[in-house]
């Protein structure tokens, strides 16, 4: 398979990036001069810059666009006003998760969507198939680049760039860098205060250069998707294909807060309501290592008597806590504080069941 390249690929090569495949794209996993641990530390203590241009982009527009999207995706767009963003999910009729995404409410006529890279075409296909006359669904996946500025010094960096930094969490506004127009979104996937810049793909190189230059005195680091994964795991944020999938519903992933239960309709509503009422499916929990074990996806989770309680969906070494952490789908009989074991390379390692996040988030701090 020929992988797609970010418009910033040459910048990544110049920084000594190690590349990996993400959703059909060749994207930086980590950079020379420190790797994942140094990049993770920069985001937790200073500021990091991620290229996440592989993420999808789609536009739904036309008279009634908001009402149409609201009848399809799980969350309730009536809860937010134009200029706000909302985490939501696209589900199949059996309750499985086609994708999780962010919806940006531009106006009553336009909703901009950022799905995951691998699922963009399917989300667009489903929306197009359901769209009534007068509603247009446009796949803009390669038209825009996305840069994520994340860390406690994000505001100082945006101020140095002349970008707005005083808007609320999950809101967005316009800005310019060297006459390049962009959208400044107060969003992110790290648990730190941060922003994501959506800019035309053909204009992103000078924006990247300006951000890196302005952040030099703040200790900025270019960060790869390896650090993005350790950061999101410390927060307990789901990753599609792991904590969410065609087999893992929002109810199972404990993402019911992103479901508009009182809405008359959305894709998968009946199946999700049934799961919610029956309380029979496994649900997502956190695992904190009691020793040196590091859980990995697919590893079985056992009770003291050896019975299987579930399976690890994500696991890593937490650079912040300096110990193994994981997310797992577990039977509902398991309670927070329980000790379970995971077969890590042939050895039963003990973990404490807990409710994420593992690290205190600062996304909403003023």
């Amino acid at each position: 398979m020929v992988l797609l390249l970010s418009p910033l690929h040459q910048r990544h090569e110049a920084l000594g990036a190690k590349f990996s495949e993400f959703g059909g794209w060749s994207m930086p996993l980590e950079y020379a001069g420190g790797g994942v641990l140094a990049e993770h530390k920069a985001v937790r203590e200073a500021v990091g810059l991620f290229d996440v241009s592989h993420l999808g982009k789609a536009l739904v527009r036309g008279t009634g666009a908001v009402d149409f999207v609201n009848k399809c995706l799980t969350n309730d767009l009536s809860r937010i006003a134009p200029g706000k963003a909302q985490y939501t999910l696209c589900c199949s009729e059996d309750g499985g998760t086609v994708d999780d995404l962010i919806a940006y409410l531009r106006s009553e006529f336009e909703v901009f969507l950022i799905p995951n890279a691998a699922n963009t075409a399917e989300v667009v296909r489903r929306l197009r198939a359901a769209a009534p006359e007068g509603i247009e669904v446009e796949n803009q996946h390669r038209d825009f680049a996305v840069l994520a500025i994340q860390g406690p010094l994000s505001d100082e960096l945006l101020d140095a760039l002349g970008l707005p930094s005083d808007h609320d969490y999950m809101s967005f506004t316009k800005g310019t860098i060297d006459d390049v127009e962009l959208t400044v979104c107060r969003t992110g996937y790290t648990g730190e205060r941060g922003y994501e810049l959506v800019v035309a793909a053909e204009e992103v190189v000078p924006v990247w250069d300006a951000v890196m230059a302005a952040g030099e005195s703040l200790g900025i680091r270019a960060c790869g998707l390896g650090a993005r994964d350790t950061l999101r795991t410390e927060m307990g944020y789901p990753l599609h294909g792991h904590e969410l999938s065609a087999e893992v519903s929002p109810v199972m992933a404990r993402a019911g807060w992103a479901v508009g239960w009182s809405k008359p309709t959305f894709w998968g509503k009946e199946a999700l309501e049934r799961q919610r009422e029956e309380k029979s499916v496994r649900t997502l929990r956190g695992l904190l290592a009691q020793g040196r074990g590091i859980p990995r996806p697919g590893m079985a989770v056992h009770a003291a008597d050896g019975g299987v309680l579930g399976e690890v969906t994500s696991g890593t070494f937490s650079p912040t806590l300096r110990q193994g952490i994981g997310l797992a789908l577990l039977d509902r009989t398991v309670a927070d504080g329980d000790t379970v074991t995971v077969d890590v390379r042939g050895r039963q390692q003990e973990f404490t069941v807990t409710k994420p996040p593992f690290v205190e988030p600062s996304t909403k701090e003023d």
Side-chain angles (χ1 to χ4, degrees), residues 332-352:
R332 289 175 179 261
T333 56
V334 181
D336 289 348
D338 285 357
T339 294
V340 296
T341 63
V342 177
D343 186 346
V344 180
R345 297 180 179 177
R347 297 183 63 182
Q348 292 296 322
Q349 299 282 348
E350 292 188 334
F351 289 80
T352 302

Side-chain angles (χ1 to χ4, degrees), residues 109-169:
F109 305 106
E110 285 194 353
V111 183
F112 184 68
L113 303 173
I114 296 192
N116 286 290
N119 302 325
T120 301
E122 179 61 15
V123 170
V124 168
R125 185 196 68 79
R126 287 172 178 257
L127 289 170
R128 280 178 176 167
E133 186 176 352
I135 299 292
E136 179 184 357
V137 182
E138 183 178 351
N139 189 337
Q140 300 182 335
H141 199 157
R142 301 183 68 178
D143 297 346
F144 294 94
V146 183
L147 303 182
I149 297 170
Q150 302 285 301
L153 299 183
S154 294
D155 281 28
E156 288 84 343
L157 178 52
L158 264 67
D159 292 344
L161 290 162
L163 292 176
S165 62
D166 57 352
H167 44 306
D168 293 336
Y169 181 58

Side-chain angles (χ1 to χ4, degrees), residues 282 298-303 307-312 328-331 334 341:
R282 288 175 170 171
M299 291 180 175
V301 181
H302 298 271
V308 176
L309 296 171
E311 184 176 289
V312 176
L329 285 169
L330 301 179
D331 292 346
V334 181
T341 63

Side-chain angles (χ1 to χ4, degrees), residues 23-248:
W25 292 64
S26 178
M27 297 298 293
L29 181 67
E30 61 180 1
Y31 295 88
V36 170
L37 293 180
E39 294 162 21
H40 184 110
K41 187 173 186 286
V43 173
R44 289 282 181 248
E45 298 179 2
V47 64
L49 175 62
F50 300 81
D51 175 14
V52 289
S53 299
H54 65 302
L55 294 177
K57 304 97 192 169
L59 181 64
V60 182
R61 61 185 166 190
T63 302
V66 174
D67 288 340
F68 165 65
V69 173
N70 214 28
K71 292 175 181 176
C72 299
L73 306 184
T74 61
N75 214 333
D76 191 350
L77 284 171
S78 70
R79 296 173 178 170
I80 64 171
K84 296 285 188 177
Q86 184 182 72
Y87 178 79
T88 189
L89 302 110
C90 175
C91 289
S92 55
E93 288 306 322
D94 66 1
T97 310
V98 176
D99 201 17
D100 62 332
L101 57 163
I102 303 292
Y104 296 84
L105 183 55
R106 290 180 175 173
S107 72
E108 62 180 301
F109 305 106
E110 285 194 353
V111 183
F112 184 68
L113 303 173
I114 296 192
N116 286 290
N119 302 325
T120 301
E122 179 61 15
V123 170
V124 168
R125 185 196 68 79
R126 287 172 178 257
L127 289 170
R128 280 178 176 167
E133 186 176 352
I135 299 292
E136 179 184 357
V137 182
E138 183 178 351
N139 189 337
Q140 300 182 335
H141 199 157
R142 301 183 68 178
D143 297 346
F144 294 94
V146 183
L147 303 182
I149 297 170
Q150 302 285 301
L153 299 183
S154 294
D155 281 28
E156 288 84 343
L157 178 52
L158 264 67
D159 292 344
L161 290 162
L163 292 176
S165 62
D166 57 352
H167 44 306
D168 293 336
Y169 181 58
M170 295 298 284
S171 67
F172 61 97
T173 188
K174 296 293 185 182
T176 59
I177 294 179
D178 296 334
D179 296 325
V180 176
E181 294 187 358
L182 45 81
T183 302
V184 184
C185 312
R186 177 115 183 266
T187 48
Y189 194 50
T190 65
E192 295 295 333
R193 187 179 180 92
Y195 300 85
E196 292 176 311
L197 311 181
V198 181
V199 57
E202 66 271 15
E203 296 183 303
V204 71
V205 172
V207 173
W208 171 277
D209 291 344
V211 174
M212 289 296 289
E216 187 174 358
S217 63
L218 300 172
I220 194 171
R221 273 187 178 271
C223 299
L225 300 185
R228 191 168 182 257
D229 191 59
T230 57
L231 290 158
R232 72 94 190 168
T233 304
E234 287 187 344
M235 290 299 110
Y237 293 160
L239 174 64
H240 194 275
H242 292 255
E243 288 72 43
L244 292 163
S245 70
E247 292 75 38
V248 184

